[in-house]
Amino acid sequence: MAAKTARQTRKSKNERMAWWREARFGMFIHWGIYAVPAGVWKGNRIAGIGEWIMNRAKIPVGEYEKLARKFNPVKFNADEWVRAAKNAGMKYIVITSKHHDGFAMYHSKCSKYNIVDATPFKRDPIKELARACKKAGVRLCFYYSQKQDWHEPDASGNRWDWPDDSKKNFDRYMDEKGLPQVREILTQYGPIGLIWYDTPQDIKPAQTRRFVKQVYKYQPNCLVDGRAGHNIGDYRSMGDNQIPPAVVKGDWETPATLNDTWGFKSYDHNWKSVGDLLRLLIGIVSKGGNYLLNVGPTAKGVIPAPSVQRLAAVGKWLKVNGEAIYGSKASPYPYELGWAAITTKPSKLYLHVLDWPGKEIVLYGLKNKVTKAYLLADRKKALSVTQEYDKAINLHTLRLRVPAKAPDKIASVIALEIKGAASMDQALLQQPNGAVILGSYNGQIREPAKGLKPRDRLVRGRFGAVENWTNTKASLSWEFKLAKPGAYNVVVLSSTDREGQWLAGHRVKVTVGRQAVKGALKDQGRTWNPKAPTSYSDVATKIGRVSLAKAGIHTVTFKPEKLVRGKAGELKLSSIRLVPAQ
Ligand code: JFZ
């Protein structure tokens, strides 16, 4: 009567989520027999993510199966893998127990297509990993591809071997392989932190419910991710490498790559820098999420050295600054500051300074009294604090005396002890460095109520840009609070598409109060958009200069005047920036 016992011992949602909310940072491991071809099939480099090679190259099951015989990860060492995670400061590991290729990376009793029965390795690495995790105090979790299984005629995804969808009986697949395997991974390896289902595709609600119930039946306190399907699950999974532009309420997680693939590819060396990784971690946590960062071990069982090195550097930073990450909650600002990011705990605010201004740090908008301030890298030394309030423009200003040189090249964290829960000015504030960042995601869309076809309406894109500018009738506008009157350059940032392509020539108009500037978009420099996968960049165009005589609230409106058409797609507006013209 497992189900009955389960119901009796199930904790509340908050209790079940507690470890995960504390953890904030986990290791994803994509490991399978796709690491043998490692992105190359019959001498050709196959584009796309490595674990999809069977699908991308349309490899028949009979041929792909032979890879198992070549899979012999003799260098696999569970303790080393767990040490890499631990050194990085990661608190949980999510490993692919079975990916879309259908190959079980553990000893499955209901399918011979598994690492113990089908490879010369013959060991069960998951058993070894479970033991190593237990020893090190890291939570073990499993990825399981519930809907796609390219090895099975009744599951989804393999149309090159089995093109006729009408012959597929997914319930039969579930009963014979899907559900029994989920039972196995929940009963063979001790307590499991969470099950990471993926790509639900056209799964039916009843089928998703069966997969989710199967988890709770065997481990009532195990969590289920948000990709089980039909919004069932314990937390939300963002798209791959997708970071929301601002705080998102509720529990969520971003799965992310260290280079441009999940499963190992021999020729993908596009590693994110330690700085990028730390900014991503801080960015995600400051918006309320967890960061699940991937490694793709080789067919020999080794996590690539460039991954291990970068992870160790992240861990080194966390040793000093972990207090600001683990168990912390989102920023009280409804937008990104750019130069810094904020995380919070009861009566505490952590200011992660990304662009160190030297000597004095200024923060606008905090209404609470600050009772103490110190660097996490130098806790014993109190920083001197002054707080002012400008009644005329309703602006709170906090000043901190700090060392001239940043204690950390990438991110230095200042802890602020405050009275009560953080209370923040919700207006969009100019930043103390003078920058005014008007992100598209919090701009107000204005378009005619009539006369626009539904397909011509603006959309808020996944990475914060406002997209689908097919007409010149729509506009985007913001109100912001200016602290420093003066002259400002108006810069438009627009996004490339996923291939890094960008179209020049759109003529746009930006109105600031009663002043208007106009110009055509041209590429004057690109920066990688950290909210999006590696190939997306923001392209900057300075289109003019305005002069703002008065502090206080101002209105900015962006409107295209003439749109060009081309292969790279329509305009995607990321943000408007006002930059002090020295
Ligand atoms: C899926 C898998 O297909 C992939 O192989 C990898 O395991 C990844 C973590 O998840 O791919 C997805 C799933 C969802 C999105 C993008 C890729 N999404 O929502 O943007």
Side-chain angles (χ1 to χ4, degrees), residues 197-386:
Y197 288 125
D198 196 13
T199 60
Q201 301 182 324
D202 61 346
I203 198 167
K204 297 196 182 85
Q207 294 166 335
T208 290
R209 280 196 295 272
R210 288 184 72 199
F211 270 116
V212 171
K213 274 195 185 147
Q214 186 78 338
V215 175
Y216 300 147
K217 177 173 173 185
Y218 294 104
Q219 293 204 27
N221 296 311
C222 181
L223 305 175
V224 174
D225 78 325
R227 292 190 186 177
H230 305 284
N231 293 317
I232 305 174
D234 290 304
Y235 65 86
R236 177 172 171 194
S237 299
M238 292 296 167
D240 300 5
N241 291 300
Q242 181 199 4
I243 301 177
V247 175
V248 170
K249 291 215 176 76
D251 299 302
W252 59 272
E253 177 185 66
T254 293
T257 51
L258 249 161
N259 48 359
D260 295 325
T261 182
W262 305 88
F264 180 71
K265 275 176 92 173
S266 55
Y267 50 93
D268 184 339
H269 307 297
N270 194 24
W271 306 105
K272 293 182 180 72
S273 69
V274 174
D276 287 339
L277 298 174
L278 279 174
R279 283 184 287 270
L280 291 168
L281 171 67
I282 294 164
I284 288 169
V285 177
S286 75
K287 291 165 186 174
N290 275 20
Y291 188 29
L292 184 61
L293 179 58
N294 183 72
V295 296
T298 66
K300 282 279 163 275
V302 176
I303 300 176
S307 299
V308 176
Q309 287 153 8
R310 283 163 177 76
L311 292 182
V314 171
K316 204 171 152 213
W317 182 88
L318 278 165
K319 281 220 172 67
V320 175
N321 300 294
E323 181 192 322
I325 297 288
Y326 303 120
S328 72
K329 297 230 175 328
S331 166
Y333 287 99
Y335 51 87
E336 289 181 303
L337 305 183
W339 62 279
I342 292 187
T343 56
T344 52
K345 279 187 184 169
S347 309
K348 272 201 185 131
L349 216 112
Y350 299 99
L351 184 62
H352 303 244
V353 185
L354 308 167
D355 292 319
W356 192 261
K359 281 188 182 161
E360 186 184 61
I361 287 179
V362 180
L363 185 72
Y364 291 149
L366 180 67
K367 299 180 191 171
N368 307 66
K369 166 130 187 71
V370 174
T371 53
K372 205 173 164 193
Y374 48 91
L375 279 156
L376 289 187
D378 192 2
R379 290 159 189 272
K380 273 172 263 150
K381 195 163 167 281
L383 302 173
S384 95
V385 183
T386 53

Side-chain angles (χ1 to χ4, degrees), residues 48-66:
I49 43 187
E51 72 282 6
W52 272 72
I53 193 165
M54 180 180 178
N55 182 302
R56 290 295 176 96
K58 303 292 172 247
I59 305 173
V61 163
E63 234 181 294
Y64 188 85
E65 275 179 339
K66 289 183 194 151

